[in-house]
Amino acid sequence: MTFAEVLLPVPIQGTFTYSVPPAMAAGAKVGHRVVVPFGRKKFYTGIVTALTPFPPEGYEVKDIAFTLDDEPVVRHPQIKFWNWIADYYLCTPGEVYKAAVPAGLRLESETFIELHPDYDPALAPPLSEREEVALDKIIGAAKKLTLDQLRTATGFQSIATVVNGLIAKGAVTIAERVIEKYRPRRESYVALTASKSDRDALHAAFDAVKGAPKQEKALLALIDLSEIMHCDTDEVREVSRTELLERSGVTVPILQAMARKGIIRLYIKEINRFRYTGLPVAPLPVLSEAQSAARDAVVASMTSNSVTLLHGVTSSGKTEIYIHLIDLMLRQGRQALYLVPEIALTTQLTSRLQRVFGDKVVIYHSRFTDNERVDVWKRLLTSREPLVVLGPRSAVFLPFSSLGMVIVDEEHEASYKQQDPAPRYNGRDAAIVLASMHGAKTLLGSATPAVETYYKALTGRYGLVSLTERYDAVPLPEVEIVDMATSRKKGLVDGILSSRLRELVVDAVDDRKQAILFLNRRGYAPVARCKMCGYVPRCSQCDVSLTYHRRIDKLVCHYCGTPYEVPAVCPACQEPAIEVLGYGTERVEDEVTAAFPEMKIARLDFDTTRNKNGYEDIIDNFSAGKSDILVGTQMVTKGLDFDNVKVVGVMNADTIINFPDFRSNERAFNMLEQVSGRAGRRASAGRVLVQTYAPAHPIFSFLAAHDYQGFFNMEITQRQQFGYPPFVRIIYIYLKHRDAADLNKAARIYADRLRGLFGTRVTGPEEPPVGRVQSLYIRRIMLKIEPSASIAKVKQLLRELYVECVNDKTLAGTTLYYDVDPY
């Protein structure tokens, strides 16, 4: 008997052992998917990670229910990579598997049993008595039965064994809701039954259509489209039915008549949804002298460094350098992974890459349907062709066969860090490990590198290449800081717009240029308040105030998404005095529209990009000049390339700099410098205006001078002084519970036990800025570990303490999880 170690998409450590029935041995190899019973009612799709002849001790082993594959669905070293993520980020391999694999490749619960459509009792093997009872129940049911319903109907507790027997004998099949979410895209094709070399058969085909002019027309069109007369071999171009119908002008019945005569063959083929039908129309972009020097320096750095940082100012042409390096990889027959922090960036980059690399460009992200993601997965799984894969952090999980390079663009971005659910991984750091497992090189690119990344580059852990000038020597934009407190006193502010910003926007549009207005808060107004008693509506499930969205005329919680009606009267004082305060992008859009009625306004935020093509439509329209002003959240800061933007206005910089977190200065400087970089990217210099009530804040002087090095020196000094990364490693331990008192007690006990292990390295527990989300109270403990300490030993101690606290009921009813290297 053979036993399989099966990885399941459940948050439980380790794998689960199942026995492999002899009839399923061929389909239960390492890397294959198998459907297995789990618990009393559920079935899951697992992946076989190992096979052994030795049975486990101490418990009864269940059989694999059935197998799904003829070939593995994962490649080396994917499972090794998943295990690294689980170990480093203190989660389970099952959670990583669930995040990594498209849902269409995972079968989960709610398994239904139905009669096999091709079942013939006269031809099938005889059924046992129990199998006959179960089959009668299935046939007699008015609807499909779940395994649990079938167990109840038959009274058989071991119903899985009975169903397995019915499946093996071809009597029933599994109808699974989740797995059926994936539908391969199929297309009808037409082919000649005669080969090119068989002249007699070709003549016979023409004889068969004499007197049928439409059939003759279709035959001539098929010969032309299949290029049968231009091929040196019997291999001919495949012709789709749609293509043939369009070329010949005939109808489907005509083709069916030809098929009945044996002239053509109609068949259905599964195709990939991402076939590129165009051809590359552009050569490699021409590099400037500075870009060429940077490219050569990157190539040289990669000979001695596994990771290289390309520090290039905004609009210095890093993307063109990436394209040259990708071309180098493809010509070597290797694959390249190009990571971006936001799905929005794939919109512009796709066309730029396809113009050079054509159908070698593969796009992958969560806005695709499950069918589309499975198609991408299958293409990479079944091919070793040189490709460039473009996508956000989730693209690191794809089954690469010959990965040669990973490019992480805008590597500083917080969007690379997954917050919820587990695994809470950083896509940048995971990409570096993925590259090392494939023997590939990693290139990190940014105008404002993360402090830890730049520190590693300066201390020699990473290679460092600098690109200090913009493409074509265009100057960096001039930055102007507006003191909003002083301006309001002088009557120079109307709403959220200072008179200086109005002046710059008008000047830009009059010059046939465009403007971007940045506010990092969506919705219409961040706060609703009673002007009589000061009551502020709050979410009933989260400790946050509600944001007003005028488009839907509701108050919405931005943490749990719950909508609320706007109260007609204040619940506290019963007065009709509810007003909205502050600004979100929705309100800014309205105010800008009123201020500039002759201008065309667009808005880019989470609310306007909910549908699949939302990003693409807004960005394409703005790039094409169909909008004069783009109002947006941080989505507009992340590497978008607009030719015609002259002015960037930061509406309220204070919401960025005044945040209780050790990374607040870094996050604010990066965001403001990046949004500034959207201005003046081509022939003329741009202008940036930052509105703030704290003009003396130190980051503004560095921003005005575009002085990243000065900012880094200030920040790294403070990090060293107060003990923050890169001088320590941080792990946040979060505890959640529905009862605040029980949570406080559990958190104190857990923190005290942590201090017994780690001493003064432990801080907390404390209530985070948002102390309750979705009815769960939250407490946070911070653990600082010096770089010289064994992180493996630290994690072992954390796991042992967790098990100890669970077993003695300290954490009863409490959810605990870790956030390693929080951002």
Side-chain angles (χ1 to χ4, degrees):
M1 176 69 76
T2 301
F3 298 89
E5 294 299 320
V6 179
L7 176 63
L8 299 180
V10 293
I12 302 174
Q13 282 291 348
T15 56
F16 299 85
T17 307
Y18 290 86
S19 58
V20 182
M24 300 182 190
K29 304 295 185 183
V30 172
H32 286 217
R33 291 177 304 155
V34 293
V35 176
V36 296
F38 187 78
R40 293 184 61 242
K41 300 180 180 180
K42 292 189 176 182
F43 275 65
Y44 284 108
T45 295
I47 293 182
V48 178
T49 61
L51 296 170
T52 176
F54 304 108
E57 297 181 359
Y59 62 91
E60 182 181 352
V61 180
K62 297 178 181 179
D63 285 347
I64 289 172
F66 57 96
T67 60
L68 295 172
D69 305 304
D70 296 324
E71 299 292 337
V73 296
V74 294
R75 285 186 181 275
H76 176 80
Q78 277 181 285
I79 294 177
K80 179 182 177 182
F81 179 55
W82 297 353
N83 286 331
W84 176 85
I85 289 180
D87 178 68
Y88 186 85
Y89 292 103
L90 291 169
C91 61
T92 67
E95 289 171 311
V96 183
Y97 162 42
K98 188 171 184 176
V101 177
L105 295 177
R106 287 185 280 109
L107 177 71
E108 295 182 14
S109 66
E110 290 205 313
T111 301
F112 286 78
I113 312 299
E114 63 181 349
L115 183 70
H116 196 293
D118 298 327
Y119 176 62
D120 185 344
L123 301 177
L127 304 181
S128 69
E129 182 178 342
R130 290 163 67 88
E131 288 169 349
E132 286 183 353
V133 171
L135 186 60
D136 287 342
K137 296 294 184 183
I138 293 168
I139 294 173
K143 59 180 182 179
K144 298 175 185 176
L145 296 176
T146 66
L147 285 179
D148 194 43
Q149 289 169 338
L150 187 58
R151 179 185 293 108
T152 301
T154 60
F156 301 153
Q157 290 304 308
S158 57
I159 191 63
T161 304
V162 177
V163 170
N164 287 339
L166 291 171
I167 291 172
K169 295 173 181 177
V172 300
T173 186
I174 296 290
E176 169 54 46
R177 287 181 180 177
V178 175
I179 200 169
E180 291 185 358
K181 284 173 65 176
Y182 173 63
R183 289 286 187 274
R185 181 174 175 181
R186 293 181 170 87
E187 193 167 320
S188 298
Y189 280 79
V190 184
L192 282 167
T193 54
S195 66
K196 174 186 175 180
S197 57
D198 191 346
R199 298 294 179 180
D200 291 339
L202 288 173
H203 285 299
F206 277 101
D207 290 341
V209 297
K210 279 185 178 179
K214 291 184 178 179
Q215 293 184 22
E216 187 174 12
K217 189 176 182 181
L219 180 59
L220 288 169
L222 179 58
I223 290 173
D224 183 38
L225 288 170
S226 62
E227 300 176 358
I228 193 170
M229 307 309 295
H230 307 290
C231 297
D232 296 329
T233 67
D234 278 342
E235 291 289 330
V236 296
R237 177 178 175 272
E238 286 189 296
V239 179
S240 73
R241 188 180 70 179
T242 301
E243 188 180 14
L244 179 58
L245 294 176
E246 289 177 354
R247 173 68 68 89
S248 64
V250 303
T251 58
V252 172
I254 299 297
L255 300 184
Q256 292 172 337
M258 295 172 68
R260 287 194 294 271
K261 291 181 179 180
I263 301 169
I264 62 173
R265 178 171 58 91
L266 302 174
Y267 62 100
I268 295 175
K269 180 181 177 182
E270 185 175 323
I271 63 170
N272 191 284
R273 289 174 169 79
F274 299 98
R275 293 179 304 164
Y276 176 70
T277 55
L279 294 173
V281 295
L284 287 173
V286 177
L287 300 183
S288 67
E289 186 176 335
Q291 286 175 312
S292 296
R295 176 202 58 196
D296 295 342
V298 168
V299 173
S301 174
M302 286 181 171
T303 61
S304 55
N305 297 287
S306 58
V307 182
T308 298
L309 170 64
L310 175 59
H311 178 206
V313 298
T314 57
S315 194
S316 57
K318 295 185 289 294
T319 303
E320 285 76 14
I321 295 174
Y322 300 156
I323 289 174
H324 276 256
L325 295 171
I326 290 168
D327 178 67
L328 177 63
M329 283 296 107
L330 299 186
R331 285 191 282 110
Q332 293 176 1
R334 306 291 298 278
Q335 296 171 339
L337 172 60
Y338 189 155
L339 290 182
V340 292
E342 288 279 358
I343 295 172
L345 289 180
T346 63
T347 299
Q348 285 193 330
L349 286 172
T350 297
S351 58
R352 292 177 71 176
L353 293 175
Q354 285 187 336
R355 279 200 298 270
V356 178
F357 302 117
D359 63 356
K360 290 183 172 62
V361 179
V362 176
I363 303 96
Y364 185 84
H365 57 66
S366 60
R367 288 294 176 102
F368 286 163
T369 65
D370 196 56
N371 288 344
E372 291 168 332
R373 278 177 282 165
V374 171
D375 277 350
V376 173
W377 186 282
K378 285 189 170 183
R379 180 177 179 183
L380 286 164
L381 188 67
T382 58
S383 172
R384 296 185 64 86
E385 61 183 313
L387 298 169
V388 52
V389 177
L390 174 65
R393 61 176 182 257
S394 59
V396 299
F397 293 119
L398 287 168
F400 297 98
S401 59
S402 56
L403 189 62
M405 172 182 284
V406 176
I407 295 168
V408 185
D409 195 18
E410 310 294 350
E411 64 83 28
H412 64 277
E413 276 289 348
S415 300
Y416 281 119
K417 175 70 172 176
Q418 163 76 10
Q419 300 299 334
D420 282 304
R424 296 171 180 85
Y425 68 102
N426 188 305
R428 174 198 61 205
D429 299 339
I432 292 172
V433 173
L434 174 72
S436 69
M437 289 182 176
H438 283 270
K441 302 294 184 178
T442 303
L443 178 63
L444 310 177
S446 177
T448 54
V451 168
E452 292 96 316
T453 300
Y454 199 66
Y455 181 79
K456 289 175 183 177
L458 291 180
T459 53
R461 290 183 59 186
Y462 295 167
L464 176 61
V465 176
S466 297
L467 189 56
T468 57
E469 65 178 55
R470 281 185 151 190
Y471 183 76
D472 214 16
V474 173
L476 287 164
E478 179 183 340
V479 178
E480 182 178 342
I481 309 297
V482 172
D483 183 346
M484 291 294 282
T486 302
S487 296
R488 282 197 183 277
K489 288 178 182 178
K490 294 180 179 180
L492 300 177
V493 178
D494 184 7
I496 198 172
L497 297 171
S498 65
S499 58
R500 180 59 176 152
L501 182 54
R502 289 170 179 263
E503 177 186 324
L504 290 178
V505 170
V506 171
D507 177 67
V509 177
D510 287 348
D511 194 27
R512 297 190 175 182
K513 301 293 184 180
Q514 295 169 296
I516 291 176
L517 301 180
F518 165 62
L519 178 68
N520 199 33
R521 191 187 295 274
R522 65 186 175 96
Y524 185 82
V527 177
R529 187 187 68 182
C530 175
K531 57 188 175 185
M532 298 297 292
C533 70
Y535 166 81
V536 175
R538 302 179 70 85
C539 179
S540 63
Q541 302 179 76
C542 310
D543 280 344
V544 292
S545 58
L546 300 173
T547 299
Y548 178 62
H549 287 249
R550 199 172 78 166
R551 180 182 56 84
I552 59 174
D553 192 29
K554 289 185 184 297
L555 298 169
V556 178
C557 175
H558 282 183
Y559 279 80
C560 67
T562 303
Y564 295 82
E565 297 295 332
V566 180
V569 297
C570 173
C573 68
Q574 303 302 311
E575 292 290 333
I578 296 293
E579 62 179 352
V580 293
L581 303 172
Y583 284 85
T585 49
E586 191 178 341
R587 188 172 187 177
V588 170
E589 180 186 24
D590 285 355
E591 191 163 298
V592 171
T593 301
F596 309 110
E598 72 285 359
M599 299 180 190
K600 296 184 284 287
I601 317 297
R603 176 161 57 96
L604 182 69
D605 58 23
F606 181 78
D607 298 311
T608 60
T609 57
R610 290 178 184 272
N611 67 330
K612 181 179 177 181
N613 298 318
Y615 291 101
E616 186 173 349
D617 293 342
I618 295 169
I619 292 169
D620 286 351
N621 288 338
F622 189 68
S623 297
K626 296 179 181 179
S627 305
D628 299 309
I629 301 173
L630 179 64
V631 177
T633 58
Q634 60 180 326
M635 290 181 181
V636 303
T637 72
K638 300 182 179 181
L640 294 170
D641 187 20
F642 300 121
D643 292 349
N644 208 36
V645 174
K646 184 178 181 179
V647 171
V648 168
V650 179
M651 313 297 287
N652 186 356
D654 305 309
T655 60
I656 309 170
I657 60 177
N658 297 322
F659 195 81
D661 184 80
F662 76 91
R663 294 189 191 275
S664 60
N665 281 351
E666 176 186 6
R667 197 175 289 124
F669 178 82
N670 290 353
M671 195 175 294
L672 293 173
E673 179 66 15
Q674 288 289 336
V675 75
S676 299
R678 301 316 105 202
R681 296 175 69 88
R682 294 299 180 265
S684 59
R687 300 292 297 273
V688 179
L689 188 136
V690 180
Q691 299 182 162
T692 176
Y693 287 89
H697 195 286
I699 73 164
F700 291 129
S701 61
F702 297 120
L703 180 68
H706 300 288
D707 183 8
Y708 173 82
Q709 189 67 54
F711 166 76
F712 172 81
N713 291 337
M714 178 194 75
E715 185 69 12
I716 202 71
T717 300
Q718 292 180 355
R719 297 275 186 97
Q720 187 170 25
Q721 180 180 357
F722 295 106
Y724 283 106
F727 302 102
V728 298
R729 303 182 72 173
I730 289 180
I731 299 174
Y732 280 149
I733 299 104
Y734 286 93
L735 299 97
K736 295 183 178 182
H737 198 290
R738 293 191 178 276
D739 183 272
D742 288 347
L743 176 62
N744 287 330
K745 179 180 177 181
R748 284 195 301 270
I749 294 173
Y750 195 82
D752 289 343
R753 294 190 181 185
L754 277 174
R755 287 189 182 91
L757 294 171
F758 299 105
T760 58
R761 301 179 182 91
V762 179
T763 303
E766 63 179 4
E767 183 176 339
V770 178
R772 185 171 63 108
V773 174
Q774 294 183 338
S775 299
L776 292 174
Y777 293 91
I778 307 168
R779 296 296 179 266
R780 184 176 70 189
I781 302 169
M782 181 168 64
L783 176 61
K784 290 183 177 180
I785 303 297
E786 57 273 18
S788 59
S790 168
I791 196 66
K793 180 64 174 177
V794 169
K795 292 174 180 176
Q796 179 185 344
L797 290 172
L798 288 175
R799 291 192 183 97
E800 290 174 354
L801 177 59
Y802 173 76
V803 172
E804 176 187 328
C805 288
V806 168
N807 288 336
D808 68 8
K809 309 302 182 184
T810 297
L811 297 179
T814 303
T815 300
L816 182 146
Y817 65 86
Y818 305 95
D819 188 2
V820 180
D821 299 338
Y823 199 96

